[in-house]
Amino acid sequence: MKLHILAFGVHPDDVELGCSGTLLAAIEEGKKVGIVDLTRGELGTRGTAETRKQEAARAAEILGVQVRENLGMADGFFQNDETNLRKVITAIRKYKPDIILANAVEDRHPDHGRSAKLVADAAFLCGLRKIETSVDGVAQEPWKPSYVFHYIQDRFIAPSFVVDITKHFDKKMESVLAYTTQFYNPDATNDEPQTYISSNQFLETVKARALMLGKRIGVSYAEGYLSEKTIGVNSFDAFIQQIT
């Protein structure tokens, strides 16, 4: 399956928090979009690997992505090594995305930065024909994505560019709230311990970040990205904002 955009998250819910509004906007434009989670989030204080799998499936349904899969790396302990690079290379060659979205390059959770480097390295290596990978015994062809962009997560990073998600913000938050074990839910009846992300205040910071980034381009809500590659345009029309 050829995808236009493939979004990687080291934990289920990273993509929803960081770039799901952008994915919704792309899907509305007719683009094919997929999600790959690196780990099952099994070290999370709340929930289990199985409940997070169910929540990820529900979030994928809300977003309307073409595919979602999990590479089963070790939460908290995965390394940027050959074994994991080959897993990501295989996924990229499988879906042939033009654009990859990946975790923040530096963040509160150490897994985020390691994931960012792992995915970026794999995106480069998957274009090398002498690296051989296969799926179900069938050799894969090399593939080189055009761009790797890193979404902003907990810590603020000045973005290279931002994407207007105003039309899609409510559905973005609906996908986040699909993770009922992880985030604030006044109707939940569980006695699990409170965490950094389980309070209503955390969800308010997600909204505040989107408001702040949107304000920078004169829209209500936006998501921000970091690009290590210079972005070019072939027309000044690319800069025109349709503000309503």
Side-chain angles (χ1 to χ4, degrees), residues 188-243:
T189 55
N190 64 63
D191 56 359
E192 292 192 282
Q194 293 301 307
T195 67
Y196 178 77
I197 66 172
S198 68
S199 71
N200 189 43
Q201 286 74 22
F202 177 80
L203 293 178
E204 289 298 316
T205 67
V206 175
K207 180 177 181 179
R209 174 64 54 79
L211 282 166
M212 179 188 68
L213 291 172
K215 183 175 183 292
R216 298 182 73 162
I217 59 169
V219 301
S220 296
Y221 299 104
E223 290 171 338
Y225 296 89
L226 188 69
S227 174
E228 295 183 359
K229 180 184 287 189
T230 299
I231 301 170
V233 299
N234 56 19
S235 168
F236 282 155
D237 288 345
F239 298 115
I240 294 174
Q241 293 288 325
Q242 297 294 327
I243 301 172

Side-chain angles (χ1 to χ4, degrees), residues 38-110:
L38 300 189
T39 79
R40 297 170 298 156
E42 65 270 20
L43 294 185
T45 301
R46 295 161 63 94
T48 65
E50 182 57 35
T51 58
R52 296 192 76 169
K53 178 180 178 180
Q54 295 168 2
E55 291 165 349
R58 174 58 183 150
E61 181 181 344
I62 291 168
L63 294 173
V65 296
Q66 299 288 318
V67 65
R68 184 171 204 157
E69 66 173 85
N70 193 300
L71 299 187
M73 297 181 192
D75 188 14
F77 295 99
F78 73 93
Q79 296 297 319
N80 186 353
D81 57 19
E82 181 177 350
T83 297
N84 289 329
L85 281 166
R86 285 186 176 275
K87 288 181 180 181
V88 180
I89 289 168
T90 300
I92 295 171
R93 288 177 172 178
K94 180 178 179 181
Y95 297 115
K96 298 179 171 60
D98 302 304
I99 295 172
I100 287 175
L101 305 181
N103 284 101
V105 294
E106 187 274 333
D107 208 35
R108 172 180 173 272
H109 198 307

